[in-house]
Each structure stands twice: as C-alpha cells, then as structure tokens.
C-alpha cells in the first residue's frame, strides 16, 4: 500500500520538481555569482581536457605574423616539421630563474615562429623545475595554441634515488614520462626521447618503452639523444619492426665539436631518413661575443661551472674565436649567427636548439636564418680556425 502511494506521489510531483529546477537553478547560480563574485579556476592537470572557459582570460595575444619569416624543415622522411631555430630550456628555466623573464622569452619565441620547445625530466634546477615552469606558462599564456606547439621531453639521466631513476629501463622511462606529463599538465608530449645510450639495458627493452609511450597516446613521436651512428641504426631497426614513428636524433654539434661526424651519427641519420636536431650549437657560449675579451664575471663559466670550465678558454681557443668573429663581421652577422648558420647550411639538419637568458638574445639568434650560404673560402677559414 505504501509503495503504491509512493509511486503515485512520484508520478505527480517529479515532473513539477524537474520543471522547477530548470527554471530556478540558473537564477540561483547567477544570484550566487552576483553576491560572492566568480573566481578564475586554473587548469589542474590536463591542458587538452580542460574546458576553454577555465583558461586565463588575460592570456597573451600572439602575433598574427608569427609564421611569416621562420623557415620550417622536415624531420627526415616523416611528416613532422620543426622550425629551423627551436628553444631549449636546459638553462634559465629552473627555480633559480625569474618567471617574468621566462615568460618573455617563451612568448617572444612563439611570436617569431619558434613552435618547438625542448625539455628533459632533469632540467632545472632543481630537476623537474623547467617542465613545471614551462607547463605553467603554457597554461596561462598559450593554452589555446597547444595544437601549434611541439613539446618534447626526455629521460635517461639521473632523476631520482634508488635503482629505478636512471638510464634506460622500461620501468624508469615510462614512470618518468608520467611524471613529466604531470609537471607539464599535459595528456601527451609531441616527442619523447631516450636521453642517452645505456650500456647495460637491452636496447630492445629501451626501444620497447618508447614504443609503448607512443602507442599509449602519451607521445606522438619517439626520438633518441646522444647516440652514435651504429647504435642509432640498431635502434631504428627495432623501432621500424614495432611500427613506431622514430623521427629524430638530438645530438651535440658545433664548429668546435664535430663528434657526430666522426662517430657516424650524422651520416647514419641522413641515410635512415631521420631528423637531426642540434644542442649546444654555440659551444656553451664560446661561439658568441661573450668571451672575446676574457671571462665576464656574470658569465655562465663563472656562475655555473658544471658544463663550461675555465680551461675551455685557452689562449689558442681565444685566438680561434677572434678569427671566427672577424669572419662573421665580414658576412654581416654576429659570431653566434654565423655559428648557427654554419650548422643550418646542411639540409640534413632539421633544427638547432638555442638557449636564451633574455628575449633579445633569442631574437638575435633567430636572425641567423637570413643568411645560410657559405663560400668555399669561408668554409675553409672556419675549418682552419677550429680543427
């Protein structure tokens, strides 16, 4: 009997309740916002799944001319194009940096056609800070342009304590990628690299981890960094069998450091149809006008001697730098612009990664693309001054 009355009651009053809710609930919400104000909610984790209404309403308005001058190059035989000049966040994007300066550098880069931003799990300091800071910038300023941006990250160097935070195991690479995505606030990165060769882990395991990263949707492409030619060929063969889109190698290369020519990587990448992106193209600042008259007190050599030490600037090296600087002047370029152009003159190179401590420095580097041609005499002078 009670059940019968309950059913009759529901049939009568439920439609009335639904109609009441549709009419008065929106009014109640608007009234609440009027009383208490509305707060801007920042996206917590995933940029891709966050509704547009949650984005920062005052985000940067990008330049409509951002694609007018930057050349874009294909990664080997893949469909992926990268800007000739990409921004590396190895330095200046850790917690020791100034966030407003990071913001200016990144936005200047994007406004001038730099669509590729390169990171690694251990970039900082402390490790992970560069990913976190860039993720914040991406959310606050460029969220609606995610599909116009290439984000890459890497794993392979020491990241956390214990046996699972280093090298190239499946355990480490996939855990690191998940952590990177969390710091970046992204569902996926465009390129995920293994950061260095691992002498102890089977290459099949490491490449299998890259393959899983792609097939799980957490990365679009696979890459490898700091491999030599022979190991790259083995890695490429494994990934080809797995139908994994391995598209790019990242290696050090400059007028002063030509290791990838002697270890076979440069030729092997071209032969295999893989892209090649260069880091340290300015030899940690030696190929700039920074050290023409000695070591400045505020230089990286003085403030952060981890990667560039005093003995790198011998009298012989100083003389080489001065000779190259005079050649650059004759070309109407700075030494840094000529050093970047020297790398980009080769069509097998997809992009050069430049760091920047300020936006003007980045703009000067981007101008290298205005003149990528070298005469035989200029190339001979460069070789004589550097080899």
């Amino acid at each position: 009997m009670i059940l019968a009355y309950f059913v009759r009651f529901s049939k009568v009053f439920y439609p009335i309740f639904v109609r009441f809710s549709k009419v008065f609930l929106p009014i109640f919400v608007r009234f609440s916002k009027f009383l208490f104000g509305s707060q801007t909610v920042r996206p917590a984790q995933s940029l891709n799944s966050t509704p547009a209404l949650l984005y920062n309403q005052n985000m940067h308005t990008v330049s409509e001319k951002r694609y007018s001058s930057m050349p874009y190059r294909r990664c080997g035989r893949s469909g992926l194009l990268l800007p000739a000049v990409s921004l590396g966040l190895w330095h200046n994007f850790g917690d020791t940096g100034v966030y407003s300066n990071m913001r200016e550098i990144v936005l200047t880069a994007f406004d001038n056609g730099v669509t590729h931003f390169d990171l690694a799990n251990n970039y900082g300091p402390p490790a992970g800070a560069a990913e976190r800071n860039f993720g914040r910038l991406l959310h606050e300023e460029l969220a609606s342009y995610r599909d116009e941006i290439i984000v890459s990250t890497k794993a392979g160097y020491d990241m956390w304590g214990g046996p699972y935070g280093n090298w190239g195991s499946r355990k480490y690479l996939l855990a690191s990628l998940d952590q990177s995505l969390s710091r970046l606030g992204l569902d996926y990165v465009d390129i995920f690299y293994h950061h260095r060769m691992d002498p102890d882990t089977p290459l099949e395991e490491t490449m299998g981890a890259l393959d899983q990263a792609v097939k799980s949707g957490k990365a679009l492409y696979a890459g490898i960094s700091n491999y030599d030619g022979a190991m790259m060929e083995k890695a490429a063969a494994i990934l080809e069998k797995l139908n994994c889109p391995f598209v790019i190698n990242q290696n050090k290369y400059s007028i002063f450091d030509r290791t990838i020519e002697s270890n076979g990587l440069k030729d092997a990448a071209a032969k295999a149809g893989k892209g090649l992106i260069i880091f340290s193209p300015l030899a940690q600042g030696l190929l700039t006008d920074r050290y023409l008259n000695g070591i400045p007190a505020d230089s990286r050599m003085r403030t952060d001697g981890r990667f560039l030490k005093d003995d790198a600037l011998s009298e012989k090296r100083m003389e080489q730098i001065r000779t190259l600087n005079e050649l650059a002047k004759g070309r109407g370029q700075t030494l840094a612009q000529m050093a970047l152009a020297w790398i980009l003159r080769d069509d097998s190179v997809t992009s050069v990664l430049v760091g920047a401590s300020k936006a003007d420095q980045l703009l000067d580097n981007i101008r290298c693309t205005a003149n990528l041609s070298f005469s035989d005499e200029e190339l001979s002078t460069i070789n004589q001054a550097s080899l």
Side-chain angles (χ1 to χ4, degrees):
M1 179 69 70
I2 295 174
L3 180 61
Y5 279 120
F6 178 76
V7 171
R8 290 177 185 176
F9 179 85
S10 299
K11 289 181 178 179
V12 173
F13 288 99
Y14 179 72
I16 298 173
F17 173 76
V18 171
R19 291 175 184 175
F20 178 86
S21 299
K22 288 182 178 179
V23 173
F24 289 100
L25 185 59
I27 296 174
F28 174 75
V29 171
R30 292 178 183 176
F31 183 68
S32 298
K33 287 183 178 180
F34 173 76
L35 286 178
F36 304 110
S38 60
Q39 296 181 347
T40 300
V41 181
R42 288 185 180 178
Q45 288 295 328
S46 172
L47 182 69
N48 308 297
S49 59
T50 306
L53 60 89
L54 297 183
Y55 293 152
N56 176 11
Q57 299 300 313
N58 298 314
M59 69 174 58
H60 176 67
T61 302
V62 303
S63 171
E64 294 182 357
K65 298 180 179 179
R66 61 189 179 278
Y67 296 124
S68 61
S69 59
M70 175 65 71
Y72 295 86
R73 296 180 166 197
R74 193 168 299 279
C75 284
R77 291 194 288 266
S78 77
L80 182 63
L81 298 174
L82 294 182
V85 178
S86 299
L87 182 63
L89 280 66
W90 183 10
H91 299 290
N92 305 311
F93 281 79
D95 288 346
T96 55
V98 179
Y99 184 76
S100 60
N101 188 51
M102 301 177 203
R103 177 184 181 276
E104 184 179 5
I105 292 170
V106 167
L107 297 183
T108 298
F110 192 63
D111 279 346
N112 287 275
V114 177
T115 55
H116 178 29
F117 301 90
D118 180 71
L119 296 134
N121 60 354
N122 62 339
Y123 288 178
E131 289 179 327
R132 176 167 36 78
N133 288 328
F134 179 73
R136 176 185 169 188
L137 271 166
L138 193 58
H139 282 290
E140 292 182 350
E141 305 293 346
L142 297 170
S144 59
Y145 298 95
R146 174 63 183 98
D147 292 339
E148 297 182 41
I149 292 172
I150 301 294
V151 179
S152 63
T153 196
K154 316 175 198 71
Y157 284 95
D158 190 30
M159 185 60 187
W160 63 83
Y164 313 118
N166 205 344
W167 294 104
S169 72
R170 182 184 186 87
K171 168 75 172 175
Y172 169 52
L173 292 185
L174 295 178
S176 180
L177 177 56
D178 284 341
Q179 291 181 20
S180 292
L181 292 174
S182 178
R183 286 188 290 267
L184 288 163
L186 297 175
D187 291 334
Y188 72 96
V189 291
D190 298 274
I191 305 170
F192 182 50
Y193 290 91
H194 182 223
H195 209 163
R196 61 170 169 171
M197 294 185 289
D198 183 343
D200 299 317
T201 301
L203 190 60
E204 291 79 5
E205 178 178 342
T206 303
M207 295 304 105
L210 294 183
D211 179 58
Q212 181 170 333
V214 171
K215 290 177 179 173
S216 67
K218 295 178 181 180
L220 300 186
Y221 300 94
I224 56 177
S225 181
N226 296 305
Y227 276 54
D228 60 29
M231 194 63 73
M232 195 262 345
E233 290 176 336
K234 293 177 182 178
I238 294 169
L239 291 170
E240 185 175 358
K241 288 181 180 179
L242 294 170
N243 293 315
C244 179
F246 161 44
V247 300
I248 195 163
N249 297 269
Q250 185 173 138
N251 291 78
K252 182 188 291 188
Y253 187 46
S254 73
I255 288 174
F256 285 156
D257 187 341
R258 308 192 189 187
T259 302
I260 63 171
E261 294 179 1
S262 59
N263 71 9
L265 186 280
K266 189 167 181 284
D267 289 340
K271 182 179 178 181
K274 307 301 178 184
L276 180 58
I277 187 169
I278 302 303
F279 72 88
S280 294
L282 301 179
Q284 293 289 315
L286 292 181
L287 289 165
T288 70
D289 59 8
R290 190 81 164 123
Y291 298 98
L292 284 173
N293 300 304
I295 306 174
D298 62 345
S299 66
R300 185 181 299 170
M301 192 178 289
R302 286 283 182 256
T303 60
D304 181 2
R306 291 176 299 164
F307 306 105
L308 188 62
K309 302 184 184 303
D310 287 10
D311 57 9
L313 204 60
S314 63
E315 185 55 42
K316 178 182 178 181
R317 184 65 88 195
M318 288 286 296
E319 186 59 35
Q320 291 174 328
I321 293 171
R322 294 188 187 106
T323 299
L324 293 169
N325 187 60
E326 289 303 312
L327 178 62
K329 286 182 180 178
R331 289 171 49 84
Q333 292 180 313
T334 65
L335 176 54
Q337 289 168 351
M338 185 184 76
L340 296 172
W342 179 85
I343 295 173
L344 289 170
R345 82 190 195 284
D346 191 332
D347 290 338
S348 67
V349 174
T350 308
S351 182
V352 289
L353 281 165
V354 299
S357 59
K358 53 187 178 181
D360 288 345
Q361 180 186 2
L362 175 64
L363 290 174
D364 285 341
N365 289 337
I366 290 173
R367 294 187 185 103
C368 75
T369 60
N371 182 11
L372 301 181
S373 299
F374 287 80
S375 69
D376 291 341
E377 183 179 356
E378 287 173 329
L379 293 175
S380 177
T381 300
I382 290 172
N383 288 336
Q384 290 176 12
S386 58
L387 296 179

